[in-house]
Amino acid sequence: MKRRVLTISLAIIAAALAAFIYFRFYFVFGEGVKTGNLNFVVYKGYVFKTYEGKIIQSGFTSRYNNNSLQSYEFEFSIEDQTVADSLMRCGGKEVELHYKEYLGSLPWRGMQKYVVDKIISVK
């Protein structure tokens, strides 16, 4: 009897842990498109080398009735080496990128929770 209760309890704990890991690191929370000027794409890391990039999005803000120009930075990771190589040749250009948002990052996927999976356009 004790053995059966222990087995069921361990199975429930293992299933809960698997569900947590899936939803935290593999479930796609959101997808979208970002447009901006590509600042950089780099290949870096200590143990897991990943492609990381940043685009700068400019826009207007009216904080405290001061209409001013403000830039937003969108930092992302890239899993696909082909996409990363293409973006490395687009520095300074306006790019439109499709991305997936995860709730957490994995070291072998990249440092960011936003992962670019394709280039929509380059201007």
Side-chain angles (χ1 to χ4, degrees):
M1 183 70 173
K2 285 184 179 182
R3 187 177 188 111
R4 184 175 178 172
V5 170
L6 181 63
T7 303
I8 292 172
S9 298
L10 288 176
I12 291 172
I13 291 170
L17 182 62
F20 171 77
I21 290 171
Y22 171 76
F23 283 107
R24 178 76 178 162
F25 300 109
Y26 293 99
F27 175 72
V28 177
F29 178 69
E31 290 186 60
V33 175
K34 291 278 189 178
T35 304
N37 292 325
L38 184 65
N39 193 0
F40 65 82
V41 173
V42 295
Y43 185 61
K44 66 180 182 178
Y46 293 111
V47 176
F48 297 102
K49 296 282 190 184
T50 59
Y51 294 98
E52 307 295 327
K54 182 191 296 187
I55 61 174
I56 306 296
Q57 302 172 288
S58 60
F60 288 99
T61 181
S62 62
R63 193 179 280 183
Y64 309 114
N65 293 329
N66 286 338
N67 291 332
S68 61
L69 188 65
Q70 180 177 354
S71 64
Y72 300 96
E73 297 177 351
F74 176 65
E75 295 185 8
F76 56 90
S77 298
I78 309 165
E79 279 187 300
D80 187 1
Q81 183 179 356
T82 312
V83 173
D85 290 340
S86 297
L87 282 175
M88 283 185 176
R89 293 187 298 275
C90 297
K93 295 182 181 175
E94 185 173 311
V95 294
E96 190 173 4
L97 306 174
H98 182 270
Y99 69 92
K100 293 179 181 178
E101 179 182 358
Y102 297 92
L103 297 175
S105 63
L106 291 169
W108 53 87
R109 186 171 60 203
M111 295 172 51
Q112 307 301 324
K113 64 180 185 174
Y114 300 102
V115 178
V116 168
D117 58 352
K118 64 183 165 184
I119 303 168
I120 296 175
S121 70
V122 178
K123 298 175 188 170

mmCIF file of all heavy atoms in Angstrom, residues 35-78:
data_model
loop_
_atom_site.group_PDB
_atom_site.id
_atom_site.type_symbol
_atom_site.label_atom_id
_atom_site.label_comp_id
_atom_site.label_asym_id
_atom_site.label_seq_id
_atom_site.Cartn_x
_atom_site.Cartn_y
_atom_site.Cartn_z
ATOM 1 N N THR A 35 9.335 45.946 -36.127
ATOM 2 C CA THR A 35 10.028 46.658 -37.192
ATOM 3 C C THR A 35 10.913 47.721 -36.563
ATOM 4 O O THR A 35 10.504 48.412 -35.638
ATOM 5 C CB THR A 35 9.022 47.333 -38.140
ATOM 6 O OG1 THR A 35 8.139 46.336 -38.641
ATOM 7 C CG2 THR A 35 9.718 48.012 -39.287
ATOM 8 N N GLY A 36 12.125 47.841 -37.078
ATOM 9 C CA GLY A 36 13.041 48.867 -36.597
ATOM 10 C C GLY A 36 14.365 48.762 -37.313
ATOM 11 O O GLY A 36 14.560 47.912 -38.190
ATOM 12 N N ASN A 37 15.278 49.632 -36.931
ATOM 13 C CA ASN A 37 16.619 49.612 -37.511
ATOM 14 C C ASN A 37 17.476 48.610 -36.765
ATOM 15 O O ASN A 37 17.595 48.680 -35.543
ATOM 16 C CB ASN A 37 17.260 50.998 -37.450
ATOM 17 C CG ASN A 37 16.558 51.980 -38.353
ATOM 18 O OD1 ASN A 37 16.095 51.607 -39.422
ATOM 19 N ND2 ASN A 37 16.472 53.225 -37.934
ATOM 20 N N LEU A 38 18.075 47.708 -37.536
ATOM 21 C CA LEU A 38 18.904 46.671 -36.929
ATOM 22 C C LEU A 38 20.178 47.294 -36.388
ATOM 23 O O LEU A 38 20.949 47.903 -37.126
ATOM 24 C CB LEU A 38 19.234 45.583 -37.950
ATOM 25 C CG LEU A 38 20.026 44.399 -37.420
ATOM 26 C CD1 LEU A 38 19.220 43.626 -36.387
ATOM 27 C CD2 LEU A 38 20.441 43.493 -38.558
ATOM 28 N N ASN A 39 20.387 47.174 -35.099
ATOM 29 C CA ASN A 39 21.570 47.728 -34.456
ATOM 30 C C ASN A 39 22.731 46.753 -34.571
ATOM 31 O O ASN A 39 23.817 47.126 -34.998
ATOM 32 C CB ASN A 39 21.255 48.054 -33.002
ATOM 33 C CG ASN A 39 22.304 48.900 -32.336
ATOM 34 O OD1 ASN A 39 23.291 49.261 -32.946
ATOM 35 N ND2 ASN A 39 22.085 49.219 -31.081
ATOM 36 N N PHE A 40 22.519 45.496 -34.153
ATOM 37 C CA PHE A 40 23.586 44.508 -34.252
ATOM 38 C C PHE A 40 23.033 43.103 -34.155
ATOM 39 O O PHE A 40 21.935 42.880 -33.662
ATOM 40 C CB PHE A 40 24.658 44.711 -33.176
ATOM 41 C CG PHE A 40 24.172 44.493 -31.759
ATOM 42 C CD1 PHE A 40 24.091 43.217 -31.230
ATOM 43 C CD2 PHE A 40 23.819 45.567 -30.959
ATOM 44 C CE1 PHE A 40 23.654 43.012 -29.935
ATOM 45 C CE2 PHE A 40 23.387 45.371 -29.662
ATOM 46 C CZ PHE A 40 23.302 44.097 -29.147
ATOM 47 N N VAL A 41 23.834 42.157 -34.634
ATOM 48 C CA VAL A 41 23.637 40.719 -34.418
ATOM 49 C C VAL A 41 25.005 40.156 -34.072
ATOM 50 O O VAL A 41 25.973 40.402 -34.795
ATOM 51 C CB VAL A 41 23.061 40.012 -35.659
ATOM 52 C CG1 VAL A 41 23.030 38.506 -35.449
ATOM 53 C CG2 VAL A 41 21.667 40.515 -35.976
ATOM 54 N N VAL A 42 25.104 39.460 -32.956
ATOM 55 C CA VAL A 42 26.381 38.896 -32.515
ATOM 56 C C VAL A 42 26.210 37.422 -32.176
ATOM 57 O O VAL A 42 25.118 36.961 -31.864
ATOM 58 C CB VAL A 42 26.952 39.648 -31.285
ATOM 59 C CG1 VAL A 42 27.300 41.065 -31.623
ATOM 60 C CG2 VAL A 42 26.002 39.594 -30.119
ATOM 61 N N TYR A 43 27.321 36.713 -32.229
ATOM 62 C CA TYR A 43 27.383 35.304 -31.849
ATOM 63 C C TYR A 43 28.224 35.250 -30.591
ATOM 64 O O TYR A 43 29.430 35.524 -30.627
ATOM 65 C CB TYR A 43 28.033 34.506 -32.987
ATOM 66 C CG TYR A 43 28.069 33.026 -32.794
ATOM 67 C CD1 TYR A 43 26.895 32.285 -32.654
ATOM 68 C CD2 TYR A 43 29.273 32.342 -32.776
ATOM 69 C CE1 TYR A 43 26.928 30.905 -32.502
ATOM 70 C CE2 TYR A 43 29.316 30.964 -32.627
ATOM 71 C CZ TYR A 43 28.142 30.252 -32.491
ATOM 72 O OH TYR A 43 28.180 28.893 -32.343
ATOM 73 N N LYS A 44 27.591 34.962 -29.440
ATOM 74 C CA LYS A 44 28.342 35.039 -28.192
ATOM 75 C C LYS A 44 27.860 34.007 -27.190
ATOM 76 O O LYS A 44 26.791 33.426 -27.345
ATOM 77 C CB LYS A 44 28.242 36.437 -27.596
ATOM 78 C CG LYS A 44 26.856 36.848 -27.131
ATOM 79 C CD LYS A 44 26.895 38.246 -26.556
ATOM 80 C CE LYS A 44 25.537 38.662 -26.033
ATOM 81 N NZ LYS A 44 25.581 39.978 -25.440
ATOM 82 N N GLY A 45 28.650 33.840 -26.139
ATOM 83 C CA GLY A 45 28.296 32.945 -25.058
ATOM 84 C C GLY A 45 29.528 32.252 -24.503
ATOM 85 O O GLY A 45 30.535 32.117 -25.191
ATOM 86 N N TYR A 46 29.460 31.823 -23.261
ATOM 87 C CA TYR A 46 30.569 31.119 -22.629
ATOM 88 C C TYR A 46 30.531 29.632 -22.953
ATOM 89 O O TYR A 46 31.472 29.081 -23.480
ATOM 90 C CB TYR A 46 30.545 31.323 -21.105
ATOM 91 C CG TYR A 46 30.822 32.744 -20.691
ATOM 92 C CD1 TYR A 46 29.832 33.525 -20.130
ATOM 93 C CD2 TYR A 46 32.071 33.303 -20.881
ATOM 94 C CE1 TYR A 46 30.078 34.827 -19.755
ATOM 95 C CE2 TYR A 46 32.327 34.614 -20.515
ATOM 96 C CZ TYR A 46 31.325 35.365 -19.955
ATOM 97 O OH TYR A 46 31.567 36.656 -19.603
ATOM 98 N N VAL A 47 29.441 28.980 -22.622
ATOM 99 C CA VAL A 47 29.310 27.548 -22.870
ATOM 100 C C VAL A 47 28.455 27.308 -24.114
ATOM 101 O O VAL A 47 28.841 26.592 -25.023
ATOM 102 C CB VAL A 47 28.694 26.835 -21.645
ATOM 103 C CG1 VAL A 47 28.458 25.364 -21.932
ATOM 104 C CG2 VAL A 47 29.580 27.013 -20.425
ATOM 105 N N PHE A 48 27.289 27.931 -24.147
ATOM 106 C CA PHE A 48 26.390 27.822 -25.282
ATOM 107 C C PHE A 48 26.508 29.083 -26.118
ATOM 108 O O PHE A 48 26.137 30.167 -25.682
ATOM 109 C CB PHE A 48 24.945 27.648 -24.808
ATOM 110 C CG PHE A 48 24.713 26.386 -24.033
ATOM 111 C CD1 PHE A 48 24.617 26.410 -22.657
ATOM 112 C CD2 PHE A 48 24.582 25.178 -24.686
ATOM 113 C CE1 PHE A 48 24.391 25.250 -21.934
ATOM 114 C CE2 PHE A 48 24.365 24.007 -23.977
ATOM 115 C CZ PHE A 48 24.273 24.039 -22.596
ATOM 116 N N LYS A 49 27.049 28.969 -27.317
ATOM 117 C CA LYS A 49 27.156 30.112 -28.228
ATOM 118 C C LYS A 49 25.809 30.308 -28.908
ATOM 119 O O LYS A 49 25.267 29.377 -29.515
ATOM 120 C CB LYS A 49 28.223 29.864 -29.290
ATOM 121 C CG LYS A 49 29.617 29.725 -28.732
ATOM 122 C CD LYS A 49 30.166 31.071 -28.398
ATOM 123 C CE LYS A 49 31.645 30.965 -28.069
ATOM 124 N NZ LYS A 49 32.204 32.217 -27.654
ATOM 125 N N THR A 50 25.251 31.510 -28.796
ATOM 126 C CA THR A 50 23.959 31.816 -29.407
ATOM 127 C C THR A 50 24.047 33.130 -30.165
ATOM 128 O O THR A 50 24.936 33.951 -29.930
ATOM 129 C CB THR A 50 22.850 31.914 -28.339
ATOM 130 O OG1 THR A 50 23.194 32.938 -27.401
ATOM 131 C CG2 THR A 50 22.663 30.602 -27.606
ATOM 132 N N TYR A 51 23.114 33.333 -31.070
ATOM 133 C CA TYR A 51 23.013 34.579 -31.820
ATOM 134 C C TYR A 51 22.064 35.508 -31.077
ATOM 135 O O TYR A 51 20.944 35.140 -30.755
ATOM 136 C CB TYR A 51 22.478 34.319 -33.223
ATOM 137 C CG TYR A 51 23.420 33.520 -34.086
ATOM 138 C CD1 TYR A 51 23.265 32.150 -34.242
ATOM 139 C CD2 TYR A 51 24.475 34.138 -34.746
ATOM 140 C CE1 TYR A 51 24.134 31.420 -35.026
ATOM 141 C CE2 TYR A 51 25.350 33.412 -35.533
ATOM 142 C CZ TYR A 51 25.177 32.053 -35.668
ATOM 143 O OH TYR A 51 26.038 31.326 -36.453
ATOM 144 N N GLU A 52 22.541 36.711 -30.819
ATOM 145 C CA GLU A 52 21.759 37.724 -30.113
ATOM 146 C C GLU A 52 21.726 38.985 -30.961
ATOM 147 O O GLU A 52 22.699 39.305 -31.641
ATOM 148 C CB GLU A 52 22.388 38.046 -28.748
ATOM 149 C CG GLU A 52 22.642 36.846 -27.861
ATOM 150 C CD GLU A 52 21.386 36.135 -27.414
ATOM 151 O OE1 GLU A 52 20.354 36.817 -27.220
ATOM 152 O OE2 GLU A 52 21.421 34.907 -27.281
ATOM 153 N N GLY A 53 20.612 39.703 -30.922
ATOM 154 C CA GLY A 53 20.501 40.914 -31.730
ATOM 155 C C GLY A 53 19.658 41.971 -31.051
ATOM 156 O O GLY A 53 19.025 41.742 -30.019
ATOM 157 N N LYS A 54 19.665 43.150 -31.676
ATOM 158 C CA LYS A 54 18.890 44.278 -31.152
ATOM 159 C C LYS A 54 18.432 45.148 -32.315
ATOM 160 O O LYS A 54 19.216 45.433 -33.220
ATOM 161 C CB LYS A 54 19.737 45.112 -30.204
ATOM 162 C CG LYS A 54 18.984 46.274 -29.567
ATOM 163 C CD LYS A 54 19.880 47.260 -28.836
ATOM 164 C CE LYS A 54 20.573 46.642 -27.667
ATOM 165 N NZ LYS A 54 21.320 47.636 -26.860
ATOM 166 N N ILE A 55 17.156 45.540 -32.285
ATOM 167 C CA ILE A 55 16.674 46.556 -33.218
ATOM 168 C C ILE A 55 16.219 47.765 -32.408
ATOM 169 O O ILE A 55 15.811 47.641 -31.253
ATOM 170 C CB ILE A 55 15.532 46.054 -34.142
ATOM 171 C CG1 ILE A 55 14.306 45.630 -33.361
ATOM 172 C CG2 ILE A 55 16.002 44.965 -35.059
ATOM 173 C CD1 ILE A 55 13.129 45.278 -34.244
ATOM 174 N N ILE A 56 16.349 48.918 -33.028
ATOM 175 C CA ILE A 56 15.948 50.177 -32.403
ATOM 176 C C ILE A 56 14.672 50.643 -33.092
ATOM 177 O O ILE A 56 14.636 50.792 -34.312
ATOM 178 C CB ILE A 56 17.045 51.261 -32.550
ATOM 179 C CG1 ILE A 56 18.388 50.747 -32.027
ATOM 180 C CG2 ILE A 56 16.628 52.551 -31.863
ATOM 181 C CD1 ILE A 56 18.428 50.431 -30.571
ATOM 182 N N GLN A 57 13.624 50.865 -32.297
ATOM 183 C CA GLN A 57 12.355 51.357 -32.812
ATOM 184 C C GLN A 57 12.171 52.784 -32.317
ATOM 185 O O GLN A 57 12.262 53.045 -31.129
ATOM 186 C CB GLN A 57 11.201 50.496 -32.307
ATOM 187 C CG GLN A 57 11.327 49.037 -32.665
ATOM 188 C CD GLN A 57 10.255 48.224 -31.971
ATOM 189 O OE1 GLN A 57 10.319 48.025 -30.771
ATOM 190 N NE2 GLN A 57 9.285 47.789 -32.733
ATOM 191 N N SER A 58 11.909 53.688 -33.230
ATOM 192 C CA SER A 58 11.697 55.069 -32.798
ATOM 193 C C SER A 58 10.210 55.350 -32.762
ATOM 194 O O SER A 58 9.415 54.739 -33.468
ATOM 195 C CB SER A 58 12.396 56.049 -33.738
ATOM 196 O OG SER A 58 11.885 55.910 -35.041
ATOM 197 N N GLY A 59 9.840 56.280 -31.915
ATOM 198 C CA GLY A 59 8.436 56.641 -31.787
ATOM 199 C C GLY A 59 8.290 57.895 -30.955
ATOM 200 O O GLY A 59 9.249 58.399 -30.379
ATOM 201 N N PHE A 60 7.092 58.411 -30.927
ATOM 202 C CA PHE A 60 6.805 59.612 -30.153
ATOM 203 C C PHE A 60 6.206 59.228 -28.814
ATOM 204 O O PHE A 60 5.478 58.258 -28.698
ATOM 205 C CB PHE A 60 5.821 60.518 -30.901
ATOM 206 C CG PHE A 60 6.416 61.191 -32.081
ATOM 207 C CD1 PHE A 60 6.220 60.687 -33.351
ATOM 208 C CD2 PHE A 60 7.201 62.315 -31.930
ATOM 209 C CE1 PHE A 60 6.772 61.298 -34.453
ATOM 210 C CE2 PHE A 60 7.773 62.936 -33.015
ATOM 211 C CZ PHE A 60 7.555 62.429 -34.291
ATOM 212 N N THR A 61 6.523 60.021 -27.813
ATOM 213 C CA THR A 61 5.931 59.829 -26.503
ATOM 214 C C THR A 61 5.429 61.175 -25.995
ATOM 215 O O THR A 61 5.965 62.224 -26.343
ATOM 216 C CB THR A 61 6.964 59.240 -25.511
ATOM 217 O OG1 THR A 61 6.314 59.050 -24.257
ATOM 218 C CG2 THR A 61 8.157 60.132 -25.315
ATOM 219 N N SER A 62 4.372 61.140 -25.221
ATOM 220 C CA SER A 62 3.835 62.386 -24.680
ATOM 221 C C SER A 62 3.803 62.326 -23.163
ATOM 222 O O SER A 62 2.824 62.651 -22.532
ATOM 223 C CB SER A 62 2.433 62.639 -25.230
ATOM 224 O OG SER A 62 1.574 61.599 -24.834
ATOM 225 N N ARG A 63 4.880 61.891 -22.594
ATOM 226 C CA ARG A 63 4.986 61.804 -21.148
ATOM 227 C C ARG A 63 5.120 63.211 -20.570
ATOM 228 O O ARG A 63 5.977 63.979 -20.974
ATOM 229 C CB ARG A 63 6.191 60.944 -20.775
ATOM 230 C CG ARG A 63 6.207 60.528 -19.325
ATOM 231 C CD ARG A 63 7.392 59.681 -19.028
ATOM 232 N NE ARG A 63 7.120 58.313 -19.488
ATOM 233 C CZ ARG A 63 7.944 57.308 -19.324
ATOM 234 N NH1 ARG A 63 9.115 57.503 -18.765
ATOM 235 N NH2 ARG A 63 7.634 56.106 -19.733
ATOM 236 N N TYR A 64 4.251 63.568 -19.629
ATOM 237 C CA TYR A 64 4.236 64.875 -18.954
ATOM 238 C C TYR A 64 4.088 66.024 -19.950
ATOM 239 O O TYR A 64 4.697 67.073 -19.816
ATOM 240 C CB TYR A 64 5.498 65.076 -18.112
ATOM 241 C CG TYR A 64 5.783 63.932 -17.178
ATOM 242 C CD1 TYR A 64 6.909 63.139 -17.355
ATOM 243 C CD2 TYR A 64 4.915 63.633 -16.131
ATOM 244 C CE1 TYR A 64 7.171 62.084 -16.502
ATOM 245 C CE2 TYR A 64 5.171 62.570 -15.284
ATOM 246 C CZ TYR A 64 6.294 61.805 -15.468
ATOM 247 O OH TYR A 64 6.557 60.759 -14.634
ATOM 248 N N ASN A 65 3.292 65.827 -20.990
ATOM 249 C CA ASN A 65 2.994 66.841 -22.011
ATOM 250 C C ASN A 65 4.213 67.315 -22.772
ATOM 251 O O ASN A 65 4.214 68.393 -23.345
ATOM 252 C CB ASN A 65 2.255 68.037 -21.399
ATOM 253 C CG ASN A 65 0.872 67.651 -20.919
ATOM 254 O OD1 ASN A 65 0.247 66.760 -21.500
ATOM 255 N ND2 ASN A 65 0.395 68.300 -19.890
ATOM 256 N N ASN A 66 5.287 66.577 -22.763
ATOM 257 C CA ASN A 66 6.449 66.876 -23.593
ATOM 258 C C ASN A 66 6.423 65.931 -24.775
ATOM 259 O O ASN A 66 6.678 64.756 -24.629
ATOM 260 C CB ASN A 66 7.764 66.673 -22.822
ATOM 261 C CG ASN A 66 8.020 67.761 -21.834
ATOM 262 O OD1 ASN A 66 7.481 68.846 -21.957
ATOM 263 N ND2 ASN A 66 8.849 67.481 -20.844
ATOM 264 N N ASN A 67 6.087 66.453 -25.927
ATOM 265 C CA ASN A 67 6.107 65.610 -27.115
ATOM 266 C C ASN A 67 7.555 65.475 -27.553
ATOM 267 O O ASN A 67 8.171 66.431 -27.998
ATOM 268 C CB ASN A 67 5.256 66.217 -28.227
ATOM 269 C CG ASN A 67 3.783 66.168 -27.873
ATOM 270 O OD1 ASN A 67 3.366 65.291 -27.134
ATOM 271 N ND2 ASN A 67 3.012 67.101 -28.385
ATOM 272 N N SER A 68 8.096 64.312 -27.402
ATOM 273 C CA SER A 68 9.493 64.103 -27.733
ATOM 274 C C SER A 68 9.653 62.771 -28.455
ATOM 275 O O SER A 68 8.787 61.911 -28.402
ATOM 276 C CB SER A 68 10.354 64.120 -26.468
ATOM 277 O OG SER A 68 9.964 63.086 -25.604
ATOM 278 N N LEU A 69 10.782 62.626 -29.088
ATOM 279 C CA LEU A 69 11.107 61.401 -29.782
ATOM 280 C C LEU A 69 11.833 60.472 -28.824
ATOM 281 O O LEU A 69 12.767 60.876 -28.147
ATOM 282 C CB LEU A 69 11.991 61.726 -30.994
ATOM 283 C CG LEU A 69 12.286 60.597 -31.949
ATOM 284 C CD1 LEU A 69 10.994 60.143 -32.612
ATOM 285 C CD2 LEU A 69 13.250 61.079 -33.014
ATOM 286 N N GLN A 70 11.373 59.239 -28.762
ATOM 287 C CA GLN A 70 11.990 58.275 -27.861
ATOM 288 C C GLN A 70 12.216 56.983 -28.638
ATOM 289 O O GLN A 70 11.399 56.586 -29.449
ATOM 290 C CB GLN A 70 11.081 58.003 -26.668
ATOM 291 C CG GLN A 70 11.659 57.010 -25.693
ATOM 292 C CD GLN A 70 10.756 56.820 -24.485
ATOM 293 O OE1 GLN A 70 9.758 57.502 -24.326
ATOM 294 N NE2 GLN A 70 11.106 55.882 -23.630
ATOM 295 N N SER A 71 13.328 56.323 -28.384
ATOM 296 C CA SER A 71 13.593 55.058 -29.065
ATOM 297 C C SER A 71 13.389 53.893 -28.106
ATOM 298 O O SER A 71 13.634 54.001 -26.908
ATOM 299 C CB SER A 71 15.006 55.042 -29.639
ATOM 300 O OG SER A 71 15.951 55.100 -28.611
ATOM 301 N N TYR A 72 12.920 52.800 -28.659
ATOM 302 C CA TYR A 72 12.713 51.578 -27.904
ATOM 303 C C TYR A 72 13.660 50.526 -28.448
ATOM 304 O O TYR A 72 13.857 50.420 -29.650
ATOM 305 C CB TYR A 72 11.275 51.085 -28.047
ATOM 306 C CG TYR A 72 10.260 52.073 -27.547
ATOM 307 C CD1 TYR A 72 9.617 52.946 -28.418
ATOM 308 C CD2 TYR A 72 9.939 52.151 -26.195
ATOM 309 C CE1 TYR A 72 8.678 53.854 -27.969
ATOM 310 C CE2 TYR A 72 9.006 53.062 -25.738
ATOM 311 C CZ TYR A 72 8.381 53.911 -26.632
ATOM 312 O OH TYR A 72 7.466 54.811 -26.176
ATOM 313 N N GLU A 73 14.222 49.742 -27.564
ATOM 314 C CA GLU A 73 15.126 48.687 -27.976
ATOM 315 C C GLU A 73 14.418 47.341 -27.840
ATOM 316 O O GLU A 73 13.773 47.076 -26.834
ATOM 317 C CB GLU A 73 16.384 48.684 -27.104
ATOM 318 C CG GLU A 73 17.196 49.946 -27.236
ATOM 319 C CD GLU A 73 18.404 49.952 -26.312
ATOM 320 O OE1 GLU A 73 18.510 49.055 -25.447
ATOM 321 O OE2 GLU A 73 19.225 50.847 -26.459
ATOM 322 N N PHE A 74 14.532 46.527 -28.871
ATOM 323 C CA PHE A 74 13.977 45.189 -28.861
ATOM 324 C C PHE A 74 15.138 44.216 -28.974
ATOM 325 O O PHE A 74 15.782 44.117 -30.009
ATOM 326 C CB PHE A 74 12.990 45.001 -30.022
ATOM 327 C CG PHE A 74 12.444 43.609 -30.130
ATOM 328 C CD1 PHE A 74 11.637 43.082 -29.142
ATOM 329 C CD2 PHE A 74 12.729 42.830 -31.236
ATOM 330 C CE1 PHE A 74 11.130 41.796 -29.247
ATOM 331 C CE2 PHE A 74 12.226 41.543 -31.355
ATOM 332 C CZ PHE A 74 11.421 41.029 -30.365
ATOM 333 N N GLU A 75 15.441 43.535 -27.868
ATOM 334 C CA GLU A 75 16.540 42.578 -27.847
ATOM 335 C C GLU A 75 15.963 41.179 -28.061
ATOM 336 O O GLU A 75 14.935 40.834 -27.479
ATOM 337 C CB GLU A 75 17.295 42.654 -26.531
ATOM 338 C CG GLU A 75 17.984 43.990 -26.360
ATOM 339 C CD GLU A 75 18.839 44.068 -25.114
ATOM 340 O OE1 GLU A 75 19.020 43.024 -24.441
ATOM 341 O OE2 GLU A 75 19.328 45.154 -24.816
ATOM 342 N N PHE A 76 16.646 40.390 -28.877
ATOM 343 C CA PHE A 76 16.125 39.090 -29.255
ATOM 344 C C PHE A 76 17.253 38.094 -29.457
ATOM 345 O O PHE A 76 18.417 38.464 -29.584
ATOM 346 C CB PHE A 76 15.296 39.201 -30.538
ATOM 347 C CG PHE A 76 16.047 39.813 -31.697
ATOM 348 C CD1 PHE A 76 16.777 39.020 -32.573
ATOM 349 C CD2 PHE A 76 16.021 41.180 -31.916
ATOM 350 C CE1 PHE A 76 17.468 39.579 -33.632
ATOM 351 C CE2 PHE A 76 16.711 41.747 -32.972
ATOM 352 C CZ PHE A 76 17.439 40.942 -33.841
ATOM 353 N N SER A 77 16.888 36.828 -29.483
ATOM 354 C CA SER A 77 17.798 35.734 -29.810
ATOM 355 C C SER A 77 17.371 35.148 -31.143
ATOM 356 O O SER A 77 16.235 35.334 -31.579
ATOM 357 C CB SER A 77 17.749 34.643 -28.738
ATOM 358 O OG SER A 77 18.175 35.145 -27.496
ATOM 359 N N ILE A 78 18.296 34.438 -31.782
ATOM 360 C CA ILE A 78 18.011 33.798 -33.062
ATOM 361 C C ILE A 78 18.483 32.355 -32.961
ATOM 362 O O ILE A 78 19.645 32.101 -32.642
ATOM 363 C CB ILE A 78 18.741 34.501 -34.223
ATOM 364 C CG1 ILE A 78 18.475 35.992 -34.199
ATOM 365 C CG2 ILE A 78 18.340 33.897 -35.559
ATOM 366 C CD1 ILE A 78 19.418 36.794 -35.068
#
